[in-house]
């Protein structure tokens, strides 16, 4: 997917392995950025550190820190959904449409760790934000 100039740049540069963007909706809202700015200083620093490492290295050291939640279904136009975890802070950030080797990563929103019965709703929300914000 081509970078949309209206998406919110969150981390990385053209010279890092990845650039991380928050999906901006046609209304101008950016759910990921709004969630991030609502966090306390320690939580913001924790997520910023995850983004920085991911942008620079293209991966996170702990295999559980970047977790696939749902597979893509290309035949039906359904993108893959992953989460970036910060376990000690119980934070989750949702990523849609990312494939290893991509140079851009698109974040839709974040939450405090959801209960198991809520994960499917967060996946659906991530896909809805992505679809509305990118037209994909």
């Amino acid at each position: 997917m081509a970078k949309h100039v209206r998406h919110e740049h969150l981390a990385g540069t053209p010279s890092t392995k990845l650039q991380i963007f928050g999906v901006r909706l046609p209304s101008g809202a950016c759910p990921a950025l709004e969630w991030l700015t609502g966090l306390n200083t320690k939580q913001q620093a924790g997520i910023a550190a995850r983004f920085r490492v991911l942008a620079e290295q293209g991966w996170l050291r702990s295999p559980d820190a970047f977790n696939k939640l749902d597979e893509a279904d290309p035949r039906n136009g359904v993108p893959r959904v992953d989460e970036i975890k910060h376990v000690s802070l119980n934070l989750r950030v949702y990523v849609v449409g990312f494939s290893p080797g991509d140079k851009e990563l698109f974040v839709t929103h974040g939450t405090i760790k959801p209960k198991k019965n809520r994960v499917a709703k967060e996946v659906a929300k991530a896909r809805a934000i992505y679809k509305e914000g990118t037209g994909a």
Side-chain angles (χ1 to χ4, degrees), residues 41-72:
T41 304
K42 181 179 179 180
Q43 292 168 324
Q44 286 180 10
I47 294 299
R50 286 275 191 273
F51 284 171
R52 187 174 43 259
V53 169
L54 187 56
E56 290 171 1
Q57 297 179 358
W59 54 278
L60 294 171
R61 185 171 297 155
S62 169
D64 293 332
F66 192 92
N67 188 33
K68 181 171 44 176
L69 294 177
D70 200 25
E71 291 284 349

Side-chain angles (χ1 to χ4, degrees), residues 23 25 44 52 72 75 79 82 89 96 105 110 124 128 130-131 136:
V23 175
L25 302 175
Q44 286 180 10
R52 187 174 43 259
R75 290 176 292 154
D82 299 284
L89 296 174
V96 178
L105 183 137
Y130 184 77
K131 183 176 183 179

Side-chain angles (χ1 to χ4, degrees), residues 51-114:
F51 284 171
R52 187 174 43 259
V53 169
L54 187 56
E56 290 171 1
Q57 297 179 358
W59 54 278
L60 294 171
R61 185 171 297 155
S62 169
D64 293 332
F66 192 92
N67 188 33
K68 181 171 44 176
L69 294 177
D70 200 25
E71 291 284 349
D73 183 359
R75 290 176 292 154
N76 293 315
V78 177
R80 172 179 158 164
V81 178
D82 299 284
E83 68 181 353
I84 298 170
K85 294 183 187 181
H86 195 298
V87 176
S88 65
L89 296 174
N90 277 332
L91 300 175
R92 304 295 185 265
V93 180
Y94 298 90
V95 174
V96 178
F98 180 72
S99 295
D102 286 354
K103 296 289 288 170
E104 297 173 334
L105 183 137
F106 293 89
V107 174
T108 59
H109 71 292
T111 64
I112 300 298
K113 179 184 175 184

